[in-house]
Amino acid sequence: MILPDNDDYRITGTDAGFAIIKKSHAKTNPSRHFHPYWELLYIVSGERTFFYANRTLHIEAGAFICIPPGVLHRALNPPEEICCLYNIYFENQSNLYFAGIESLLTAKEPCIELSPAIQEKVTQLFARIGMEMEEKNDGYIQLSWALIMEVLVTVRRQHSSRGILIRPSQIMNSYVSAAVDYINSHYSGSLSLASVAQRLHISASYLSREFHRATPFTFIEYVNSLRIMHACTLLKSGSLNVTAISEACGFGSITQFGRCFRSLTGKSPLEYRDFFYGKN
């Protein structure tokens, strides 16, 4: 039996070290395309078209996705697609509770479809986590983390026995796949829609139209998002200054880099580095 959990909620900024969100009619695209923390996405019912890393997925009830830090992702959400979902964001990845589940997050394929019997169990577990976080009874933090661990162990065990991988959607044709692969390998150099289309022996207008149809991005949005994603990795390493990172990621000027970085992360490059090292 599914536990009663009919109301949507967004429980963030808690002492537990993670946020949990439930949307019963999810349609809205997220404002950020990647973030510096792990995320769990679980689809209870309905359907969603979802861009993950370098592929477009059509996901339905039972889809379970572990999204690592810095991986580009976004929901496309055509008007006819509505789903009920849970998100968990691990806001504090330095606590002991997170250390206990980290190996489960990184195990196996990140995008799988759960069997019907496992779906019911996982839905119950997510509902219980939400109830614990809302009611805040004694020991709710410890119990919530134990329930998260049970979710991940349950998913991992199914994956080990008969996990069904979520396959890329057919809306990403071979030209778009080739363009995405080329951009992923050459993001630090000079890239333009015309030059990539020429390499693929197709027109720029065709590539532009198909690229936007198959992903949630225009060509330049995807290029800039990928560059900023890699810039975040370099900022966290602490070995290069901002100017060097801008050049290494393919930006033509430090001004363009700063503008794109703030639009995607909400912070300047230096603010992001300070945030990562706990200076703010």
Side-chain angles (χ1 to χ4, degrees):
M1 181 181 73
I2 303 298
L3 293 173
D5 185 31
N6 299 319
D7 296 328
D8 290 1
Y9 47 77
R10 177 181 293 267
I11 305 171
T12 62
T14 70
D15 293 335
F18 69 89
I20 181 168
I21 296 167
K22 183 195 175 188
K23 296 179 182 178
S24 56
H25 295 82
K27 296 179 67 175
T28 305
N29 286 335
S31 59
R32 298 284 180 264
H33 305 323
F34 59 91
H35 36 66
Y37 43 78
W38 280 90
E39 174 188 350
L40 301 181
L41 169 63
Y42 175 61
I43 305 297
V44 179
S45 61
E47 59 182 332
R48 167 167 278 205
T49 303
F50 193 74
F51 185 86
Y52 175 85
N54 61 351
R55 50 187 165 160
T56 300
L57 310 171
H58 184 74
I59 54 179
E60 299 178 325
F64 189 93
I65 303 178
C66 291
I67 304 171
V71 170
L72 199 60
H73 63 281
R74 191 179 182 185
L76 278 70
N77 292 352
E80 69 277 8
E81 290 185 0
I82 300 175
C83 66
C84 175
L85 61 79
Y86 287 100
N87 283 120
I88 289 182
Y89 300 96
F90 296 101
E91 300 167 318
N92 182 353
Q93 297 180 175
S94 61
N95 65 30
L96 293 176
Y97 295 117
F98 182 80
I101 68 165
E102 190 168 10
S103 63
L104 295 170
L105 291 169
T106 57
K108 306 293 184 181
E109 170 69 29
C111 308
I112 70 170
E113 180 183 336
L114 305 180
S115 67
I118 300 299
Q119 288 179 40
E120 181 172 356
K121 179 177 180 180
V122 170
T123 300
Q124 290 184 38
L125 290 169
F126 272 103
R128 287 187 62 195
I129 295 166
M131 291 171 63
E132 289 295 328
M133 294 296 289
E134 284 191 307
E135 295 176 0
K136 293 182 171 57
N137 293 321
D138 289 347
Y140 78 96
I141 292 178
Q142 292 87 342
L143 180 53
S144 294
W145 278 98
L147 292 168
I148 291 171
M149 180 173 285
E150 187 173 354
V151 167
L152 294 172
V153 169
T154 300
V155 170
R156 182 175 179 179
R157 285 179 176 176
Q158 185 205 277
H159 189 286
S160 299
S161 61
R162 57 172 304 278
I164 305 169
L165 304 187
I166 299 173
R167 302 297 182 184
S169 168
Q170 293 300 310
I171 68 172
M172 181 175 282
N173 65 33
S174 60
Y175 290 116
V176 176
S177 295
V180 168
D181 289 343
Y182 184 79
I183 295 167
N184 288 354
S185 299
H186 297 83
Y187 67 88
S188 61
S190 178
L191 284 174
S192 69
L193 177 67
S195 66
V196 175
Q198 184 177 27
R199 172 173 288 273
L200 298 176
H201 306 291
I202 57 177
S203 71
S205 60
Y206 175 80
L207 178 58
S208 176
R209 181 176 65 253
E210 290 301 303
F211 197 96
H212 191 266
R213 185 177 74 89
T215 76
F217 308 98
T218 65
F219 179 88
I220 193 61
E221 283 174 342
Y222 181 76
V223 171
N224 284 340
S225 295
L226 191 67
R227 286 171 171 169
I228 295 301
M229 183 180 74
H230 286 281
C232 287
T233 300
L234 293 176
L235 283 164
K236 289 187 287 187
S237 74
S239 59
L240 296 175
N241 62 37
V242 171
T243 300
I245 290 172
S246 172
E247 294 173 354
C249 292
F251 286 98
S253 70
I254 191 71
T255 301
Q256 181 195 20
F257 174 52
R259 183 172 62 251
C260 288
F261 196 96
R262 185 175 289 278
S263 70
L264 286 169
T265 68
K267 301 178 184 295
S268 72
L270 288 178
E271 287 171 343
Y272 182 90
R273 176 174 276 170
D274 288 346
F275 172 79
F276 180 78
Y277 286 106
K279 296 180 181 179
N280 288 334

